[in-house]
Amino acid sequence: MLKKNAKKLLISILFLVFSVTAYVCSPFLINFNDDKKTGIENLISELIFYKVNIKGNIQYKLNPLPSLEISEVHITNDEENSILNKIVLNVSIFDLLKNKFSYKNILINSGEFIINLNNLEVLSSIEEFDNKKINFEKVNIKFFDNKQTFSINEFSGNILYKNKKIDKINGKFYVGEILFKIKFKENQLSLKSPEINFKASIENFLNTKKLIKLDYNNSSIFPGVDSIFTSFTYEQNENKFSLITKEFETNIFSGIININNNNDKNIIVLDGYFENSKFKKISKTDLATFLSQNLNLLANLFDGRVKLSFNNFKSDKEVFENIKLNVLFQNGDVFFEDIDIYSDNNSINIKGRNVTYQKDNLLFYDFIFSTKNLKRLCSQICNDKSLIDRAIDGEFKLQSKGILNINKSKITVQENFVNRQFNDNEIQKLNTNLNSIVIFGKLENLFDLPRYFTLL
């Protein structure tokens, strides 16, 4: 009797296992032909309002959950296009067998996803995504509008839709080589980068008018700046936006900054104005670090123009009192379109371009220095008072053009004018003296004005 019962139980278990296995595996027999592929393309297109074309395959997978894996998905919107390597949809086996298509969570794996900023509100509220989670694994995201684009790299995280709108975002991504973490909840977005001690929050993120707060504590990016606190109001009108500071404070200066793209070229412009800055706290080492490392870091973070004015600042020896900067960051290069450092008696003007060529960080420069009285300036700043007698008593002007190899702390003067143009032998001697006496293999010496008087 026991043997018969055991046999019946074994047969029942085997039948159950066979039935479950057949049920779970039966979708492998489904032929995802062109009609089914077109149907899925149309469905995705209707969801995100982009044209979708599946160039790869659609496969049924069991691990870790029953799902459809769609490869090589091409997306097009407003003349922009991208390719997603893989989309994985958690599906209902029962619906598949009934020739229906339904899904739960979605995984987007690698590739690039485009987001039209003009349709951002549409993507933030998709009825079909209600109570669904969209997961991303190392997906580059390209934002664009009619005139500009910007990207974040390797976004990994998830977006949860609730009540037909984005409810939560949790993830991480890279801008250049800098890692950022992102969170969104209750219409508030927060960003932070432990690598550069940066925090930002945006209240009313999905509203037209927003409040932005930044908190930055790191002495390694902006020379002399150990902390930044600022809050902005943000407004957008069609393709134009503006950020207007309510507060902007650092440990060495405070003032106002406005950021907008309201210009003919529609590029981002940062315009700042500051009074009574304490530049005495900026060391030559800080300046050298900024030039050798952090300038390129900023260039990789964003494209745009930076225009800053510092008036009546306090500096060492008080040789200069004002600075005006007009710098363009574009595709990782830095264009110094106009840098004026001046006072009533002394001035420096620099134009140039900072580029990375092979392994060298090069600054191609045009430089003009002038003073109303060189002897008086030397008496003011020269540590070696014997140099005063060698200085010209009266006006002095120097024009120079060349290349500074920032990595190697080496300068190569190509042209030099002091009343007349230097000949080849004089330029060769000047280069030797600049590198062996003034710079001496240390980039911070480039900013030590008294050292240049040893060339007199």
Side-chain angles (χ1 to χ4, degrees):
M1 185 70 176
L2 289 174
K3 289 183 177 180
K4 288 183 178 181
N5 290 337
K7 187 176 181 180
K8 287 181 180 179
L9 179 61
L10 178 61
I11 292 172
S12 298
I13 292 173
L14 289 174
F15 177 77
L16 179 62
V17 170
F18 175 78
S19 298
V20 171
T21 303
Y23 174 73
V24 172
C25 295
S26 55
F28 284 111
L29 303 176
I30 296 175
N31 179 24
F32 291 99
N33 54 29
D34 290 341
D35 289 339
K36 283 188 172 63
K37 184 179 288 188
T38 301
I40 295 175
E41 288 175 344
N42 293 337
L43 177 66
I44 299 175
S45 295
E46 290 173 3
L47 288 179
I48 63 176
F49 304 98
Y50 294 175
K51 182 180 178 181
V52 175
N53 190 359
I54 299 173
K55 297 288 189 180
N57 298 318
I58 301 176
Q59 294 180 316
Y60 176 70
K61 301 280 186 177
L62 277 176
N63 187 23
L65 294 171
S67 60
L68 288 184
E69 183 178 293
I70 308 169
S71 60
E72 197 178 339
V73 180
H74 292 237
I75 298 174
T76 304
N77 179 267
D78 196 22
E79 298 184 357
E80 292 284 344
N81 56 76
S82 65
I83 301 174
L84 293 171
N85 292 343
K86 187 193 302 181
I87 296 178
V88 180
L89 306 171
N90 294 141
V91 295
S92 163
I93 300 174
F94 183 73
D95 284 347
L96 281 178
L97 294 176
K98 292 173 63 177
N99 202 28
K100 291 182 179 180
F101 181 75
S102 64
Y103 60 94
K104 294 181 180 178
N105 297 334
I106 301 171
L107 169 65
I108 300 176
N109 187 300
S110 62
E112 182 183 67
F113 187 76
I114 52 176
I115 293 180
N116 190 335
L117 292 171
N118 297 318
N119 293 335
L120 191 59
E121 187 174 348
V122 173
L123 288 176
S124 68
S125 178
I126 299 178
E127 184 174 352
E128 181 63 29
F129 285 170
D130 195 22
N131 293 318
K132 290 183 174 65
K133 185 181 288 186
I134 318 299
N135 299 294
F136 294 81
E137 288 187 4
K138 294 186 176 181
V139 178
N140 298 332
I141 300 180
K142 180 180 180 180
F143 299 87
F144 70 94
D145 59 21
N146 297 334
K147 296 183 178 179
Q148 62 182 4
T149 65
F150 67 94
S151 299
I152 62 175
N153 301 321
E154 295 188 18
F155 174 65
S156 295
N158 57 72
I159 299 175
L160 176 65
Y161 281 80
K162 193 173 182 180
N163 298 323
K164 304 174 185 178
K165 292 184 178 181
I166 290 180
D167 182 60
K168 294 180 183 178
I169 299 175
N170 194 351
K172 60 184 181 179
F173 60 87
Y174 288 86
V175 177
E177 297 180 355
I178 306 301
L179 175 65
F180 286 84
K181 297 181 179 180
I182 181 172
K183 287 186 178 181
F184 174 80
K185 187 178 180 180
E186 297 177 351
N187 205 15
Q188 179 166 322
L189 181 74
S190 65
L191 290 171
K192 66 178 181 178
S193 175
E195 187 175 346
I196 59 174
N197 292 328
F198 170 86
K199 294 180 182 179
S201 66
I202 307 176
E203 297 179 12
N204 304 317
F205 179 74
L206 297 177
N207 299 6
T208 303
K209 190 172 183 179
K210 306 170 178 44
L211 177 62
I212 301 174
K213 294 182 180 179
L214 303 178
D215 193 350
Y216 172 80
N217 289 276
N218 193 322
S219 59
S220 64
I221 289 193
F222 302 105
V225 176
D226 296 324
S227 63
I228 297 175
F229 177 79
T230 182
S231 63
F232 296 87
T233 57
Y234 173 90
E235 292 190 43
Q236 184 169 353
N237 183 13
E238 295 181 351
N239 296 327
K240 305 295 183 181
F241 75 89
S242 64
L243 290 166
I244 302 173
T245 52
K246 299 180 69 176
E247 297 176 84
F248 191 94
E249 291 187 17
T250 77
N251 57 303
I252 61 173
F253 58 81
S254 61
I256 58 173
I257 287 181
N258 295 326
I259 305 173
N260 64 73
N261 65 339
N262 189 21
N263 53 78
D264 293 338
K265 296 183 179 180
N266 199 36
I267 62 172
I268 297 174
V269 175
L270 186 153
D271 202 337
Y273 179 85
F274 309 95
E275 287 278 356
N276 302 315
S277 303
K278 302 172 184 177
F279 283 180
K280 285 183 178 181
K281 295 186 177 181
I282 300 178
S283 69
K284 299 177 183 66
T285 302
D286 287 339
L287 290 171
T289 301
F290 178 75
L291 185 60
S292 62
Q293 300 176 21
N294 301 324
L295 187 63
N296 284 335
L297 186 63
L298 288 174
N300 288 320
L301 282 176
F302 81 108
D303 285 353
R305 184 178 301 280
V306 176
K307 298 170 70 176
L308 302 177
S309 295
F310 298 89
N311 294 335
N312 302 313
F313 64 76
K314 307 299 180 184
S315 65
D316 189 30
K317 309 287 188 177
E318 299 184 353
V319 176
F320 304 105
E321 297 173 353
N322 310 285
I323 298 178
K324 288 185 178 181
L325 307 173
N326 186 351
V327 182
L328 178 66
F329 295 90
Q330 191 172 63
N331 299 324
D333 290 345
V334 184
F335 298 83
F336 299 100
E337 298 198 345
D338 200 17
I339 298 179
D340 283 313
I341 309 170
Y342 62 96
S343 64
D344 290 339
N345 297 312
N346 312 297
S347 70
I348 291 176
N349 178 265
I350 302 171
K351 293 181 173 65
R353 181 180 181 183
N354 180 212
V355 301
T356 301
Y357 178 72
Q358 294 178 351
K359 294 184 179 181
D360 288 326
N361 185 5
L362 305 177
L363 173 60
F364 296 83
Y365 70 86
D366 282 287
F367 174 89
I368 300 175
F369 167 75
S370 65
T371 179
K372 289 184 177 179
N373 194 305
L374 189 62
K375 184 179 288 289
R376 183 173 59 195
L377 177 61
C378 186
S379 65
Q380 184 180 352
I381 69 172
C382 288
N383 299 317
D384 184 354
K385 298 305 178 182
S386 66
L387 297 173
I388 297 175
D389 293 334
R390 294 159 58 181
I392 298 171
D393 186 10
E395 292 186 3
F396 175 83
K397 185 175 182 179
L398 165 70
Q399 293 179 262
S400 185
K401 180 179 180 180
I403 304 171
L404 172 66
N405 190 317
I406 296 173
N407 291 349
K408 298 177 180 178
S409 301
K410 182 179 180 180
I411 196 167
T412 303
V413 178
Q414 296 172 320
E415 297 179 14
N416 204 70
F417 296 82
V418 179
N419 299 323
R420 62 177 180 80
Q421 183 174 0
F422 278 31
N423 59 40
D424 291 343
N425 290 333
E426 289 172 320
I427 287 179
Q428 184 177 355
K429 181 180 178 180
L430 176 62
N431 281 320
T432 300
N433 291 336
L434 275 171
N435 290 297
S436 62
I437 299 175
V438 178
I439 299 178
F440 199 59
K442 295 181 179 180
L443 193 61
E444 55 264 35
N445 290 337
L446 184 74
F447 306 100
D448 191 351
L449 290 181
R451 297 181 71 93
Y452 292 91
F453 281 87
T454 61
L455 302 178
L456 293 175

